Each structure stands twice: as structure tokens, then as C-alpha cells.
Amino acid sequence: MKEIFGAITKQLSKLGRAMLIPIAATPVAGLLARLSSPDMLNLPVLESASWVVFGMLDTLFAIGAVVAYTKVKDKTCPILGAIISLAVFKQTLAFMNPDIDMGVFAGIVVGVFTAIIYNYSKEWKTPDMFSFFTGDKFVVTLAPLAAVPFGIIFSYIWVPCQAGLNSFALWIGGAGALGVLVFGFFNRLLIPVGLHHVLNSFIYYELGSFTTASGEVITGEIPRFLAGDPTAGLFLAMFFVPMMFGLPGACLAMYKTAKEKYREKTKSLMMSGALTTFVAGITEPIEFSFMFIAPQLYVLHAVLTGAAGAILYLLDVKLGMSVNFCIIDFVLNYNLGHNVWMIVPVGIAFFFIYYFSFRFIILKKDLKTPGREDDDVEFTEEISDEEKNLKLNHSNYAYMAKKILQNIGGKENVETAECCVTRLRLELKDGSLVNEINIKKTGAKGIVRLSDTSIQIIIGTDVRKVMKEFNYLLEQ
């Protein structure tokens, strides 16, 4: 059971990461929509351009799912197959039941089954006369064909699913402060496994509807807010509190509780993280600095995020985002929101709540947050300056890649492979097959085991050359 749960969590985590692709495309659309407003540049052409992106979110989600699940470096063919398949899938749904609207979930479904079809069909053998259409390109033929029966199936099974989602929307939209609190809590709590984007996709892009002056129907908290819906923004305003105020307070607490000899290094790390979340709304660098080593702090962070949402809901504060939940959007979208000024006093209060609660728990539980590691554990960056200067004492990159692959169980044992500045990062199916002694004989400087299946091989500045040869072997 534990293995099954782990496998499911791993696949859902991939799906969560896939959601980053469409979300990465929305800031430019949001920015264009905001700049087109009458109180800004008043250019309708910008507004028209912005809704193009929001209108193709299902396609972007399909691409994201393909990128997440296809086991190949060049994803051109599976992406093409997914785009064609999505059009066929949606047309089949419309033919079977015009009332069905799967929204971005259609893209996710099509992206996943296209990736599965590609992973299996690329190795299938066919007569030579069809060789041009097989191999990597086979998915372009098979996936659209599969989209027809999938469309028929989903025209039946999605009816209760859509009813369930509508019920969820009615509940969360009508649950008042409780609904906002629940959404904020799970939004943060699911970040470690990357599933917060799955939850966000419905709230951000599907919840509610608004008809513009031109008659266009807009759905989702973000598009509705930017389109001028006066009821939108209740589920979005909360995030300005932890990102602009709360997490900087947590950073100050971690700095103040750091050991004296590590204080300056911690100060630099925390200041950088606080500025990143305040200016850009990017919270992962700070959240990942304590979510695993101090999970009780992370649960507290999730609770406080939901609490901020409930408070702002009760104060009738509405504010959305076009770039991210940061000072930039706070200023740009101020005039579009309602009671936006209240975010500041609430945020200041949460700054101190984060600071004192984090400080108390860290000291009470003696948590090993940044700067509080045991003395026998050196507080350094993941990759030290010394490591950044490492070089191999040979140039046999192909041979090294070959021997490393042999000593980690072969390509069948490799789930994912990538590299950073100095390290080859591998996720394996069976970590017990790793022969560390033989790997070090290839010239590798060391091996770091992050878990039973996740390892990093320290190679040095030549790692990208080794990675190139390693990828070549994996594709054979």
C-alpha cells in the first residue's frame, strides 16, 4: 500500500509541476489586460490580445501534461499530437453533449493520454512503407484517433464530474470566510508535492462567470477580476499578505534565531528570499528553506495564509493579480480592487504574527532552520565555491557517461536525469543498484544520496559535457 501511495503521489507531483507551464504564460496576459484598462493606457487592442492567452489555457495545460509525462528529451512530436488531439477531443465532446465544458481539465486529460500513447508507440514496429509515420511521429496519428473514443467516454463520465465541480464551486463560493480559509490552507499545504497548481487551476480559471460589455463570458477569479467583475478577487487578495508581509517576517525570525557564527550568512540568505517574495511574489526559495526541516512551521504558514484570507473576506477586500501576488501587482491593480488599503494594516499585523510565532517555535523545538544546523554540519550553499571550480582530470566524457550508466543499473533504471552547475542529478527506480566505488573510479568527485532513489553525482564544471553523452546513451 505504501508503494502504491508513493507511486500515485509521484505521478501527481509531476502533474503539479506541469501546471507551472500555463501559469507561467498568464502574467503577460494579465499585464496586457491591466494596461488596456481605461485608467491606464485605454487601448482595447491590448485587451483583445490578452484574452487570446486566457482562451487557450486548455491547450497550454495539455502541453504542460505532455512535457511532464513524456519520456523523451525532444518533445516536439508529442506536443503536436496533443494540440491536434485536444481539438478532436473537444469537437467530439461538443457533438455528444454541447452542454459539457471540461475547461482546463480537457487539456490535462488529453496531455496525459497523449504522453502515454507516445511512450509506448515510439518503439512499435510497422511495415517499412509506413516508417515515415512511425517512431516519434506515430503519436501524431494515434493520439487524435484515440481522442474520439476518449471524447465519447468523457461525454458520459464528465457529467457527474462537472456536477461535482459545480457543487464544489457553489460550496466554496457560498461558504464565505470558511471557503476562503480552506482554499488558502490547501493552496500552501500542497506546494511540497506540487499539487497546489491542480487546485489553483479551478479557482483561478474556472470559478464563477462574468459577461463583459461585449458579451464575452469570462470564467475564473483571475480573468474575471481583470475583466472588471466587481465580485472577483475574494480568493486572491489573501496571498498578498503572506507574500508581502508574512514570509518576510518569517525570514527575520530565522535570521534572529540563527547561531551567531552563521548570522551573517543567514542574513544574506533571508534578505534575498524576503526581497524575492516581496518584489516578485516568488515564495519557493523561502518555503523550501524550512518546509522539510521544520514541517510544523510550514503547517503554521498554511494556516496563517488561510486565516489571512478569511480576515480579508470579512473586511470585503478584493484584489487580483496580473503578474504575481507582489508589490508590483498591488500597485498596478490597486484601482481595480475594493478596500485594498486594508491589506497593509492586516499585512503588518501578520508580519509580527509570523515573526513571533516562528521565533517561538524555532527556539522552543530547537528546529534546525537555516543558520541553526548542528556544529558538525557546515552551513554552506548546496554547491560550494570549491565545488564550482572542480574540473575532471580527463576528457573522456563518453566513456565516463557509459560507465556511470552501467553502475547505476542501466538506462532502464533511470527515471529522470538532469544536471546543474557541477552535478549530475538522477532519479532512479532502484537506488540499491548504484555502485558508488565504481562511479568514483570514473573521475567523479563524490556522490550525494538525497533519498533511496535520488542521487547526485559531483562531476565539476565539465558536467554538461558528460550530461550530453549521458542523454545520448539514454536515447539509444
Side-chain angles (χ1 to χ4, degrees), residues 129-191:
M129 69 177 69
F130 301 118
S131 61
F132 177 80
F133 302 99
T134 55
D136 285 344
K137 295 186 285 292
F138 212 175
V139 68
V140 180
T141 300
L142 295 178
L145 291 175
V148 175
F150 267 103
I152 294 173
I153 293 171
F154 272 90
S155 70
Y156 291 101
I157 67 175
W158 192 254
V159 172
C161 292
Q162 187 163 307
L165 287 174
N166 289 336
S167 298
F168 173 74
L170 290 173
W171 177 84
I172 203 169
L178 177 62
V180 177
L181 188 151
V182 169
F183 171 59
F185 174 74
F186 282 102
N187 171 275
R188 293 294 95 183
L189 199 65
L190 292 173
I191 283 181

Side-chain angles (χ1 to χ4, degrees), residues 402-462:
K402 177 181 178 181
K403 301 307 292 184
I404 288 177
L405 189 59
Q406 289 177 355
N407 287 285
I408 60 173
K411 66 180 183 180
E412 295 79 10
N413 194 38
V414 178
E415 288 278 7
T416 61
E418 55 186 11
C419 69
C420 61
V421 178
T422 62
R423 300 183 182 193
L424 185 64
R425 300 170 181 261
L426 304 172
E427 187 67 36
L428 307 176
K429 297 177 182 177
D430 185 357
S432 66
L433 299 179
V434 176
N435 189 323
E436 296 189 18
I437 295 177
N438 286 346
I439 290 176
K440 290 180 180 179
K441 288 180 181 179
T442 67
K445 307 302 180 182
I447 297 175
V448 178
R449 284 186 177 268
L450 301 179
S451 68
D452 292 340
T453 58
S454 182
I455 69 169
Q456 296 179 1
I457 302 175
I458 302 174
I459 293 175
T461 56
D462 296 318

Side-chain angles (χ1 to χ4, degrees), residues 309-371:
I311 292 171
L312 293 181
Y313 181 93
L314 294 174
L315 295 173
D316 195 28
V317 177
K318 302 183 184 74
L319 183 63
M321 70 98 166
S322 52
V323 178
N324 211 338
F325 303 101
C326 58
I327 187 61
I328 297 175
D329 259 354
F330 182 83
V331 174
L332 283 178
N333 296 328
Y334 190 95
N335 291 335
L336 286 180
H338 180 68
N339 287 338
V340 177
W341 67 271
M342 290 186 178
I343 290 177
V344 176
V346 172
I348 292 174
F350 269 78
F351 175 88
F352 289 107
I353 292 172
Y354 267 80
Y355 172 72
F356 287 112
S357 59
F358 268 59
R359 181 187 176 94
F360 175 79
I361 295 174
I362 290 171
L363 295 177
K364 181 73 173 178
K365 301 293 185 180
D366 190 25
L367 300 177
K368 304 304 178 183
T369 49

